[in-house]
Amino acid sequence: MIEGLYRRGLLGIADTPAVADFVKSQGWKLGVGRFVAGETLEDVLRAVRALHQEGLSSILDLLGEFIDTEAGAEAMTNEVLRTLDTLAQEDTERYMSVKPTQLGLGVSFELALYNARRVAERAAEVGARVCLDMENVPYVDGTLNLLRTLYGEGHHHLSTVLQSYLYRSMGDLEALLTLEPKPAIRIVKGAYRESEAVAFQDKRQVDDNYREMLYRGLEAGAHIGVATHDESIIRETEAFVRGAKAKNYEFQLLYGVKPSLQRALAARGHKVRIYIPYGEDWYGYFSRRLAERPANLAFVLRGLLG
Ligand code: FDA
């Protein structure tokens, strides 16, 4: 309950323009670099190589969201394409996450579909996979429709995300499981500020729903990205996949969060994928990470004072 209040409170404060301006002006002094690999493509490729050397897989996230113009979405889409082209020259995995509002979902569904199709086609050309991240509630239907439409066109290298804090997500999971072949699905708890009209506010309910969705997805044979740092859920998943001899899963963790757990999971023989954000538009991503853990805010405040 208190955790939920802290999270919603911090996300509310982060939406305040004065706070946003101040934090952006302080930039990397605040420790953004703990969660964001850098501002350029070169920065993120350095991080990818270092993680690969430790046996960790990667998924790149070009920061930028809630774009509200066609020109802005075009520019972001071109940057995603540039990243895919660059990955194609590298001896690394080619996997990107994109935010549908980055591609124009906040402008219109048609614009987002047009740009997402360009991304899907380029990804197919260079042998890459692309995950459509899940943003806040106004974009959930649009994101699932993008996935369904492009999947129906044969872009089976696309995947998406479901958030266990939403009441609707178990139904969305069942709907995704009817697709053939079953798409890869990342399951997360959910990072945005959502009302009790649409989302569980009690952490225990979010966690219980997470477990139910996870087991349902694994039993159905979909490839599940177990995207959490919750060590009890991770332990339970390990026991489950051992018992079921399941191979259709991977653990996914955020860059900079619990690095020793990331390595320990890889050492125990699991596939571990690190979600690595990069780019100049780091504010929204950074505030969601602060909202997840009070100690992260303390870390930032210490940086300010020091
Ligand atoms: P929970 O919040 O219960 O935390 C479990 C443990 O991890 C606690 O010990 C906690 O302190 C620690 N922890 C959690 N976050 C931390 C942080 N930032 N810093 C340090 N410790 C932390 N969300 C979304 O809405 N849409 C999306 O597309 C994605 N995509 C995504 C990809 C990947 C790979 C991950 C791991 C997560 C996401 N998320 C997301 C974010 C997700 O919804 C959620 O906000 C965070 O993962 C935090 O929740 P946990 O599952 O870790 O559990």
mmCIF file of all heavy atoms in Angstrom, residues 47 62 74-75 92 101-102 117 125 138 172 180 220 230 267 269 280 286 288 296 302:
data_model
loop_
_atom_site.group_PDB
_atom_site.id
_atom_site.type_symbol
_atom_site.label_atom_id
_atom_site.label_comp_id
_atom_site.label_asym_id
_atom_site.label_seq_id
_atom_site.Cartn_x
_atom_site.Cartn_y
_atom_site.Cartn_z
ATOM 1 N N ALA A 47 27.847 -0.636 -24.369
ATOM 2 C CA ALA A 47 27.203 -1.350 -23.258
ATOM 3 C C ALA A 47 26.792 -2.759 -23.691
ATOM 4 O O ALA A 47 26.969 -3.733 -22.944
ATOM 5 C CB ALA A 47 25.983 -0.560 -22.766
ATOM 6 N N LEU A 62 15.505 2.772 -27.758
ATOM 7 C CA LEU A 62 15.799 4.178 -28.085
ATOM 8 C C LEU A 62 14.794 5.042 -27.330
ATOM 9 O O LEU A 62 13.582 4.947 -27.574
ATOM 10 C CB LEU A 62 15.670 4.391 -29.589
ATOM 11 C CG LEU A 62 15.664 5.837 -30.060
ATOM 12 C CD1 LEU A 62 16.997 6.532 -29.732
ATOM 13 C CD2 LEU A 62 15.397 5.911 -31.563
ATOM 14 N N GLU A 74 8.107 10.710 -37.442
ATOM 15 C CA GLU A 74 8.944 10.360 -38.612
ATOM 16 C C GLU A 74 10.430 10.354 -38.202
ATOM 17 O O GLU A 74 11.181 9.429 -38.524
ATOM 18 C CB GLU A 74 8.671 11.412 -39.713
ATOM 19 C CG GLU A 74 9.685 11.506 -40.830
ATOM 20 C CD GLU A 74 9.419 10.507 -41.949
ATOM 21 O OE1 GLU A 74 8.294 9.968 -41.974
ATOM 22 O OE2 GLU A 74 10.336 10.267 -42.768
ATOM 23 N N ALA A 75 10.818 11.383 -37.442
ATOM 24 C CA ALA A 75 12.224 11.478 -37.026
ATOM 25 C C ALA A 75 12.597 10.298 -36.121
ATOM 26 O O ALA A 75 13.668 9.690 -36.273
ATOM 27 C CB ALA A 75 12.462 12.802 -36.309
ATOM 28 N N THR A 92 26.263 -8.808 -32.968
ATOM 29 C CA THR A 92 25.501 -8.910 -31.717
ATOM 30 C C THR A 92 24.073 -9.284 -32.065
ATOM 31 O O THR A 92 23.698 -9.280 -33.235
ATOM 32 C CB THR A 92 25.425 -7.553 -30.980
ATOM 33 O OG1 THR A 92 24.778 -6.631 -31.841
ATOM 34 C CG2 THR A 92 26.768 -7.025 -30.564
ATOM 35 N N THR A 101 3.975 5.167 -28.997
ATOM 36 C CA THR A 101 3.787 6.625 -29.133
ATOM 37 C C THR A 101 5.010 7.279 -29.778
ATOM 38 O O THR A 101 4.929 8.399 -30.274
ATOM 39 C CB THR A 101 3.516 7.321 -27.783
ATOM 40 O OG1 THR A 101 4.640 7.159 -26.924
ATOM 41 C CG2 THR A 101 2.267 6.786 -27.103
ATOM 42 N N GLN A 102 6.117 6.574 -29.790
ATOM 43 C CA GLN A 102 7.311 7.045 -30.482
ATOM 44 C C GLN A 102 7.063 7.007 -31.994
ATOM 45 O O GLN A 102 7.581 7.816 -32.746
ATOM 46 C CB GLN A 102 8.399 6.037 -30.106
ATOM 47 C CG GLN A 102 9.782 6.278 -30.479
ATOM 48 C CD GLN A 102 10.688 5.272 -29.732
ATOM 49 O OE1 GLN A 102 10.450 4.065 -29.770
ATOM 50 N NE2 GLN A 102 11.693 5.766 -29.065
ATOM 51 N N ARG A 117 5.005 -0.486 -39.475
ATOM 52 C CA ARG A 117 5.223 -1.399 -40.615
ATOM 53 C C ARG A 117 6.615 -1.174 -41.225
ATOM 54 O O ARG A 117 7.314 -2.125 -41.576
ATOM 55 C CB ARG A 117 4.124 -1.179 -41.660
ATOM 56 C CG ARG A 117 4.141 -2.219 -42.754
ATOM 57 C CD ARG A 117 3.021 -2.028 -43.746
ATOM 58 N NE ARG A 117 1.728 -2.500 -43.282
ATOM 59 C CZ ARG A 117 0.632 -1.737 -43.194
ATOM 60 N NH1 ARG A 117 0.670 -0.465 -43.527
ATOM 61 N NH2 ARG A 117 -0.512 -2.251 -42.780
ATOM 62 N N GLU A 125 14.267 -7.446 -42.916
ATOM 63 C CA GLU A 125 15.403 -7.420 -43.865
ATOM 64 C C GLU A 125 16.726 -7.725 -43.167
ATOM 65 O O GLU A 125 17.592 -8.384 -43.728
ATOM 66 C CB GLU A 125 15.522 -6.025 -44.499
ATOM 67 C CG GLU A 125 14.591 -5.801 -45.687
ATOM 68 C CD GLU A 125 14.474 -4.304 -45.999
ATOM 69 O OE1 GLU A 125 15.459 -3.556 -45.808
ATOM 70 O OE2 GLU A 125 13.383 -3.896 -46.394
ATOM 71 N N PRO A 138 -4.365 4.662 -22.296
ATOM 72 C CA PRO A 138 -4.957 5.124 -23.565
ATOM 73 C C PRO A 138 -4.352 4.448 -24.806
ATOM 74 O O PRO A 138 -4.955 4.493 -25.875
ATOM 75 C CB PRO A 138 -4.635 6.634 -23.576
ATOM 76 C CG PRO A 138 -4.395 6.992 -22.160
ATOM 77 C CD PRO A 138 -3.840 5.772 -21.487
ATOM 78 N N ASP A 172 -6.357 -10.011 -22.275
ATOM 79 C CA ASP A 172 -5.490 -9.705 -23.427
ATOM 80 C C ASP A 172 -4.516 -10.855 -23.695
ATOM 81 O O ASP A 172 -4.209 -11.169 -24.842
ATOM 82 C CB ASP A 172 -4.700 -8.410 -23.178
ATOM 83 C CG ASP A 172 -5.603 -7.180 -23.199
ATOM 84 O OD1 ASP A 172 -6.648 -7.215 -23.876
ATOM 85 O OD2 ASP A 172 -5.264 -6.195 -22.519
ATOM 86 N N GLU A 180 -1.574 -17.639 -34.171
ATOM 87 C CA GLU A 180 -0.677 -18.719 -34.613
ATOM 88 C C GLU A 180 0.354 -18.179 -35.580
ATOM 89 O O GLU A 180 -0.047 -17.533 -36.555
ATOM 90 C CB GLU A 180 -1.481 -19.832 -35.282
ATOM 91 C CG GLU A 180 -2.097 -20.826 -34.326
ATOM 92 C CD GLU A 180 -1.119 -21.494 -33.349
ATOM 93 O OE1 GLU A 180 0.062 -21.708 -33.740
ATOM 94 O OE2 GLU A 180 -1.514 -21.776 -32.221
ATOM 95 N N ALA A 220 0.793 -22.471 -21.889
ATOM 96 C CA ALA A 220 0.236 -22.434 -23.249
ATOM 97 C C ALA A 220 1.326 -22.565 -24.309
ATOM 98 O O ALA A 220 1.032 -22.705 -25.491
ATOM 99 C CB ALA A 220 -0.541 -21.137 -23.449
ATOM 100 N N ASP A 230 11.751 -9.160 -9.255
ATOM 101 C CA ASP A 230 11.138 -9.709 -8.042
ATOM 102 C C ASP A 230 11.724 -11.104 -7.809
ATOM 103 O O ASP A 230 11.415 -12.061 -8.525
ATOM 104 C CB ASP A 230 9.625 -9.766 -8.264
ATOM 105 C CG ASP A 230 8.866 -10.215 -7.035
ATOM 106 O OD1 ASP A 230 9.396 -11.056 -6.283
ATOM 107 O OD2 ASP A 230 7.750 -9.731 -6.840
ATOM 108 N N ALA A 267 24.611 -17.301 -14.807
ATOM 109 C CA ALA A 267 25.509 -18.364 -14.332
ATOM 110 C C ALA A 267 24.722 -19.640 -14.022
ATOM 111 O O ALA A 267 25.268 -20.746 -14.111
ATOM 112 C CB ALA A 267 26.263 -17.887 -13.089
ATOM 113 N N GLY A 269 22.497 -20.753 -15.831
ATOM 114 C CA GLY A 269 22.148 -21.384 -17.119
ATOM 115 C C GLY A 269 20.916 -20.808 -17.797
ATOM 116 O O GLY A 269 20.463 -21.358 -18.807
ATOM 117 N N GLU A 280 18.604 10.822 -25.836
ATOM 118 C CA GLU A 280 18.582 12.092 -25.098
ATOM 119 C C GLU A 280 17.314 12.274 -24.281
ATOM 120 O O GLU A 280 17.299 13.008 -23.303
ATOM 121 C CB GLU A 280 18.706 13.252 -26.099
ATOM 122 C CG GLU A 280 20.074 13.279 -26.764
ATOM 123 C CD GLU A 280 20.153 14.284 -27.894
ATOM 124 O OE1 GLU A 280 19.264 15.155 -28.004
ATOM 125 O OE2 GLU A 280 21.114 14.191 -28.661
ATOM 126 N N PHE A 286 13.660 7.689 -16.702
ATOM 127 C CA PHE A 286 14.393 7.850 -15.442
ATOM 128 C C PHE A 286 13.407 8.045 -14.278
ATOM 129 O O PHE A 286 13.554 7.424 -13.219
ATOM 130 C CB PHE A 286 15.317 9.056 -15.586
ATOM 131 C CG PHE A 286 16.202 9.323 -14.399
ATOM 132 C CD1 PHE A 286 17.051 8.342 -13.915
ATOM 133 C CD2 PHE A 286 16.196 10.566 -13.779
ATOM 134 C CE1 PHE A 286 17.883 8.598 -12.830
ATOM 135 C CE2 PHE A 286 17.027 10.831 -12.697
ATOM 136 C CZ PHE A 286 17.867 9.835 -12.217
ATOM 137 N N ARG A 288 10.387 6.950 -14.010
ATOM 138 C CA ARG A 288 9.704 5.681 -13.667
ATOM 139 C C ARG A 288 10.632 4.779 -12.844
ATOM 140 O O ARG A 288 10.185 4.080 -11.937
ATOM 141 C CB ARG A 288 9.233 4.970 -14.944
ATOM 142 C CG ARG A 288 8.078 5.695 -15.629
ATOM 143 C CD ARG A 288 7.393 4.828 -16.674
ATOM 144 N NE ARG A 288 8.188 4.604 -17.863
ATOM 145 C CZ ARG A 288 8.292 5.460 -18.885
ATOM 146 N NH1 ARG A 288 7.639 6.591 -18.870
ATOM 147 N NH2 ARG A 288 9.026 5.166 -19.942
ATOM 148 N N ASN A 296 16.292 4.637 -4.853
ATOM 149 C CA ASN A 296 16.813 5.278 -6.074
ATOM 150 C C ASN A 296 16.704 6.792 -5.967
ATOM 151 O O ASN A 296 17.566 7.520 -6.455
ATOM 152 C CB ASN A 296 16.045 4.798 -7.311
ATOM 153 C CG ASN A 296 16.338 3.356 -7.645
ATOM 154 O OD1 ASN A 296 17.267 2.772 -7.088
ATOM 155 N ND2 ASN A 296 15.558 2.772 -8.532
ATOM 156 N N ARG A 302 21.449 12.280 -3.055
ATOM 157 C CA ARG A 302 22.854 12.294 -2.609
ATOM 158 C C ARG A 302 23.739 12.883 -3.700
ATOM 159 O O ARG A 302 24.627 13.691 -3.447
ATOM 160 C CB ARG A 302 23.329 10.873 -2.266
ATOM 161 C CG ARG A 302 23.028 10.474 -0.823
ATOM 162 C CD ARG A 302 23.918 9.310 -0.375
ATOM 163 N NE ARG A 302 23.828 8.150 -1.235
ATOM 164 C CZ ARG A 302 22.860 7.221 -1.155
ATOM 165 N NH1 ARG A 302 21.910 7.331 -0.241
ATOM 166 N NH2 ARG A 302 22.841 6.198 -1.974
#
